[in-house]
Every structure is written in structure tokens, then in C-alpha cells.
Amino acid sequence: LGLKESIVSDLADLREVRQRIEAAYDPELLRVLGRRLADMAADHLAKSQASDGVVLPWCDPAEGVRQAAAVLDEAVGANVGRDELTNRFAALLKTMLSRGLNLHDPRYIGHQVAASVPLAGLFDAVGSITNQVMATYDMGPWATATERAMVEQLGEQIGWHRGEFSGVVTHGGSLANLTGLLVARNVALADSWEKGTARPGSPPVLVVHADTHYSVARSAGILGLGTGHVVRVGLDSRRRMDVGQLESALRDLRANGQPVVAVVACACSTPIGAFDPLEEVADVCQRYGVWLHVDAAHGGAACLSPTHRHLVAGLHRADSIAWDAHKMLFMPGLCAFAFYRNRAHKFEAFRQDAPYLFDPAAPGLAEYDSAMGTLECTKRAAAFGLWGTWAMFGPQLFADLVDVTFAMGRVLYEKLLAAPDFAALHEPECNIVVFRHVPAALRDSASAALGQFQLEIRRRVLESGEFHIVSTRLDGVGALRVTIINPLTRPEHLDRLLDAIREAGCRILQDTDTTLSSA
Ligand SMILES: Cc1ncc(COP(=O)(O)O)c(C=O)c1O
């Protein structure tokens, strides 16, 4: 071929390189490993769902990192046969499955991360295996189509009309909040995208529910508004945004000539799951001509349930909404939506030209280029799991998941009311319940000591591996917090939870006595 000798020898070297690569890309290997994965994952799920084992195999974090790093040193390489690769794969899978948090164990009732519909992961896996991503339409036509179909579907559930609204999928609710608030900022402060937010006069503010998720205050920092310019509106007796206080805050801000970028309401709030009175909040925002953003990361799914839909009455009046599918739509992480009531607002977020991406010869396609509306350029096909699950089971499954988990929140509340050694700190509106264990010995304790006791209970329960619950501080005092975001949790698990908490409490009191008497 007339190739130089050195190039020929380089190509000979590449032959070996290619052989190694082909081993990693071998479709037959995928077939064998995929079958193994299906069997092992199904066995693992069956065990988890039967509570056969611990919920969380607690491990000191530094030790976990050391062990994971040690596994890397044992790579077998590509030159071994398919059998050895299969064995290696099975061993790695066994480690992964045994070391993770078992969200499908009915005793997992901790963070706002769902015990997801398992087969949604299969649809996600199709996206990963064939690497379906998007930024422009041509990069991921079906990824784009499924995302758009879900935007349409959920937007209609919110109460909007097809063709009038828009939305995008983001990697999580924090990013959905940031994206919605970026649009609000660009609309309220017309040239801020190009010129920044510095301007003469009083600084613009974000007016938020006092218990708003930290991603909202963080957004104020990122958007150049400043976290010091977040005005927190006081709460009513149910920790909902107090509409009277919202009105007076907006009145004062207007009197001071201070621009308001947006009001941020919650559906529902993170600490106790309180749903703001959205109709009334929307009325106030309308009177003052202010953008309303609703953080419905957790509670948006209530609109799918005829029983609970009333909790989000007025959601359709929001200008923008954040809604996580990996929370109450029970999808694997991450899949979240940012919605806009006015379809055109999607394009207000990022007013940027990127000629190598967006094809000016086909302007109609820009509507379908996901990167026009999201911070991400390349983005996973994050809606595959939701689209596939919806396409199999329809909306009824999602309503059922909301109904059963919200009902269990109520059941736990009733159990707390009936137990003299527990104090429920609010009447739950959904599946988030915050409470304290107050054994007789601590009934007269100072609140700080009682709060500390809750945090210690949580630590012990978590490390025991029997339940996964979280702790929080309500008005500065420690408390236990449960989110029943697991449709497999039943009343009998909640009975056992209270006993496990009592047992942990007893041991703490005994340990304290021992320490005091030996001091
Ligand atoms: C009300 C609310 N908004 C936003 C978030 C953040 O969502 P993500 O974890 O998907 O970023 C959470 C998380 O718990 C939340 O409760």
C-alpha cells in the first residue's frame, strides 16, 4: 500500500488494541451478562422486598472508598475468556448489590428518594446501553420524543392545555428550580442575561416560603441576586406560606421600589410536607404582577390522584413549576421537570447562540433541541423510565403510588397519637411525618436535650441497619423524620419502627446512666 514501515508496525500494534476493545464491545458478552444481571437483580429485589437482610449495610465511608479502590486493582483485563469475564462481572455485581442502600426493603422510609418501580430501570438501561442522549434533536430523536410526550402528559395533569405550555427534563429538582428561577429572573430583569443583575436602586429580591428547599436560596446565589436578598415569608400554624404575610411583604417591597424576581411557593415543603394554599398565593402574585414559581418537586404527583388532587389546587396558575419524577412518580434517579405555563418562556432561560449545535437552516427544529432550554448540553435520556412505565401501566399506577404512601403517612400519624411516648409534631398532609420519641424519663427535659436524643436515636437506628429514617431540626430542635416513599411499607412495619426507636432510646438512656455512674 506504500505505507511507511513505522505506520505498518503501528497498525500491527493496533490489531491487538482492537482485539482488546472488541472483547469489551462484544454483543454476545452483553447477552450473557445481561441475563446474569436480570437474575441477580431480581433475586436481590425479592430479598429486599422480603426484608431479608439489613436496609443499609452501614460502612465507615473511608473504609468503603478503600474497598472500592481495592476492587479496581483486581481488574482481569480483556484477554481472558468470556467465562472469566462473566465470573468477574457476577462478583462485581454481588458486591454492588450487597453494599448499597436497599430502597425496596419496606423498612426504607428515609430520604425523598423513591423505592422506584424496578422495571423503569430496564427502560433506563436501554438508554445507557445504546447511549441515547440529547442536546439537539438529531442526537436523540426518541429520547427527545419521549421527554416531550411526558412533558405533554404531565402538563395536562397540572391542568394546562396542550400547545400552550412547555417544559424540559433536568437532572434533578434543584436544577429544575434553578432553571425556572433563571427564566423568572430573565423576565423580571429584562437585560440581566446580557448585562448582569447590577442596577441602580434597590436590589431585586426573591420572595420565598420560609421552609423552602435550600436549592432555592442557592439559586439566588447562582443567579447573581445574592442569598442575602432572599425574603422569607412567615408560616401559618400548619407551616404553610402565610398569605397575609406574603401580601404585606410584596406591599412593602413595592413601596421601597424593590423589584421582585419571583415568589416561590411549596407543594409541598421539605421539612413536614406542607402544601401552600396555591390559589390564594396565585391571587396575591397576580395582584402584584409577580412571577409565581412552585417547587412541586415532592408533591406535584398529588395531581394524579383524584383523592389528593385538592392539595395542589391552583398549581396550574404557576408561571413555572419544578416536579421530580424520582420522588413521587417513583422513578429511578434522576428525572425532574421544569414546566412553564407560557410555552414561550422555555426559551427565555438561555439566550445563547451555539451555531455548531443549533441549525439555522432548520429553525423549526430548535423547538426540539433540548439544550435550548436546559443547563446541560449533552443530557441523558432521563425520561425513558417514566415514559416506559407510563406506557405499560398508565396513569392509574402513579395515582395508586401516591394514594398508598400518603395513606401510610396518616397511619403513622394515628399510631403516634395513640402512643404516649411519642409526639407527632404536625398533622401530615402527605407521606412526610415528623415526630419525637419522648420516653417518660425525658418528659421534663429541656428541648435541646430532647432534640439531641432524637439525633442519637436516628444514628443508632440507621447504623443498626433495621430501618432507614432521617432526622431534622424543626424550629432548631432535633426531630425524627420519615418519608414513606416506599409503596411496600405496611402498617406492621410502622409498628416495628416505633419499637425499634423505643429500643434505641432505651439503650441511649442506659449508656448515659452508665457513663454518669462511672464518672
Ligand atoms: C421541595 C424540594 N425541592 C427540591 C428538592 C431537590 O430535589 P433534587 O434532590 O432532585 O435536586 C427537594 C429534595 O428533597 C425538595 O424536597
Side-chain angles (χ1 to χ4, degrees):
L1 289 171
L3 289 174
K4 274 201 202 140
E5 220 168 90
S6 63
I7 297 182
V8 171
S9 91
D10 281 355
L11 286 178
D13 287 349
L14 278 187
R15 215 165 290 139
E16 269 181 43
V17 169
R18 286 196 185 287
Q19 276 166 5
R20 288 197 296 270
I21 290 173
E22 274 161 20
Y25 278 67
D26 179 9
E28 282 312 309
L29 182 65
L30 180 73
R31 191 189 310 280
V32 174
L33 301 190
R35 286 186 180 139
R36 194 50 102 70
L37 165 63
D39 284 341
M40 288 177 73
D43 289 348
H44 178 80
L45 268 187
K47 265 185 75 181
S48 284
Q49 293 185 14
S51 292
D52 179 0
V54 294
V55 182
L56 174 67
W58 178 259
C59 173
D60 170 68
E63 175 57 16
V65 174
R66 195 195 62 71
Q67 292 173 8
V71 174
L72 295 177
D73 295 334
E74 295 158 12
V76 291
N79 293 329
V80 297
R82 197 175 286 157
D83 284 352
E84 198 167 335
L85 285 172
T86 307
N87 290 341
R88 176 71 177 151
F89 177 77
L92 291 171
L93 222 55
K94 191 166 169 224
T95 305
M96 290 173 77
L97 291 171
S98 68
R99 298 302 299 275
L101 171 61
N102 293 310
L103 289 100
H104 295 86
D105 186 316
R107 301 167 301 169
Y108 162 79
I109 41 178
H111 293 283
Q112 287 162 272
V113 179
S116 53
V117 182
L119 58 79
L122 297 181
F123 292 103
D124 278 349
V126 175
S128 292
I129 291 170
T130 61
N131 200 16
Q132 300 301 297
V133 296
M134 53 185 136
T136 58
Y137 176 67
D138 62 293
M139 287 167 76
W142 196 242
T144 308
T146 56
E147 169 174 325
R148 289 290 293 254
M150 286 321 304
V151 165
E152 304 281 315
Q153 192 61 243
L154 296 182
E156 285 187 330
Q157 300 289 340
I158 289 169
W160 291 328
H161 300 296
R162 206 167 271 230
E164 292 176 11
F165 63 92
S166 59
V168 292
V169 166
T170 69
H171 284 104
S174 303
L175 201 46
N177 276 334
L178 175 67
T179 312
L181 292 174
L182 171 60
V183 173
R185 188 205 69 176
N186 290 349
V187 170
L189 312 176
D191 52 5
S192 52
W193 179 261
E194 296 81 8
K195 296 188 177 161
T197 53
R199 59 200 58 235
S202 306
V205 294
L206 207 54
V207 177
V208 310
H209 183 294
D211 273 348
T212 197
H213 187 259
Y214 74 83
S215 61
V216 170
R218 193 177 268 191
S219 298
I222 298 169
L223 296 174
L225 303 171
T227 56
H229 296 132
V230 173
V231 176
R232 291 181 184 271
V233 177
L235 306 175
D236 66 14
S237 58
R238 290 160 59 188
R239 292 191 89 88
R240 307 179 316 162
M241 185 186 268
D242 184 307
V243 182
Q245 293 190 50
L246 171 65
E247 175 121 37
S248 56
L250 293 182
R251 194 185 311 121
D252 292 349
L253 289 162
R254 179 179 278 181
N256 289 341
Q258 228 168 332
V260 176
V261 165
V263 166
V264 181
C266 294
C268 51
S269 70
T270 308
I272 67 157
F275 285 81
D276 285 341
L278 295 179
E279 290 283 13
E280 294 168 50
V281 171
D283 285 344
V284 175
C285 290
Q286 200 171 335
R287 269 203 296 283
Y288 284 82
V290 172
W291 183 281
L292 172 59
H293 175 81
V294 177
D295 181 350
H298 187 88
C303 72
L304 300 171
S305 155
T307 315
H308 298 287
R309 196 174 160 78
H310 65 95
L311 291 168
V312 288
L315 183 61
H316 65 289
R317 296 177 62 191
D319 294 287
S320 55
I321 296 171
W323 177 352
D324 275 6
H326 57 258
K327 289 188 168 64
M328 292 303 293
L329 293 178
F330 292 83
M331 286 298 111
L334 293 173
C335 178
F337 291 80
F339 286 106
Y340 307 100
R341 181 160 52 86
N342 175 343
R343 173 191 178 84
H345 280 145
K346 183 171 104 173
F347 299 102
E348 283 294 328
F350 306 96
R351 300 178 192 153
Q352 245 170 341
D353 285 337
Y356 62 95
L357 279 182
F358 312 116
D359 182 359
L365 279 187
E367 158 81 11
Y368 294 91
D369 290 343
S370 66
M372 294 291 279
T374 58
L375 190 63
E376 300 99 328
C377 176
T378 311
K379 186 177 84 176
R380 289 179 66 231
F384 269 178
L386 181 58
W387 172 82
T389 307
W390 193 290
M392 284 184 70
F393 298 108
Q396 185 66 53
L397 172 67
F398 298 94
D400 290 344
L401 289 166
V402 168
D403 287 349
V404 79
T405 51
F406 279 27
M408 284 303 108
R410 188 78 209 175
V411 166
L412 176 57
Y413 176 65
E414 301 292 342
K415 289 184 187 299
L416 293 169
L417 290 184
D421 53 345
F422 281 89
L425 300 185
H426 65 110
E427 184 174 349
E429 291 185 77
C430 61
N431 53 341
I432 299 176
V433 187
V434 181
F435 58 97
R436 293 196 184 103
H437 175 38
V438 191
L442 294 184
R443 210 153 282 159
D444 299 321
S445 296
S447 59
L450 194 57
Q452 200 51 41
F453 182 65
Q454 313 305 314
L455 304 186
E456 180 59 16
I457 288 178
R458 191 270 173 164
R459 190 182 67 76
R460 293 196 184 208
V461 169
L462 187 78
E463 290 184 14
S464 77
E466 189 181 354
F467 280 93
H468 195 287
I469 59 173
V470 304
S471 55
T472 186
R473 285 179 203 276
L474 218 52
D475 296 324
V477 182
L480 298 170
R481 179 171 174 275
V482 156
T483 303
I484 304 168
I485 198 159
N486 189 333
L488 309 173
T489 306
R490 291 169 179 270
E492 53 270 29
H493 298 114
L494 301 175
D495 286 330
R496 175 63 205 141
L497 170 68
L498 299 194
D499 281 342
I501 290 172
R502 287 186 179 108
E503 287 160 20
C506 247
R507 281 195 300 276
I508 296 168
L509 293 175
Q510 277 164 9
D511 291 352
T512 318
D513 279 351
T514 316
T515 318
L516 288 179
S517 57
S518 62

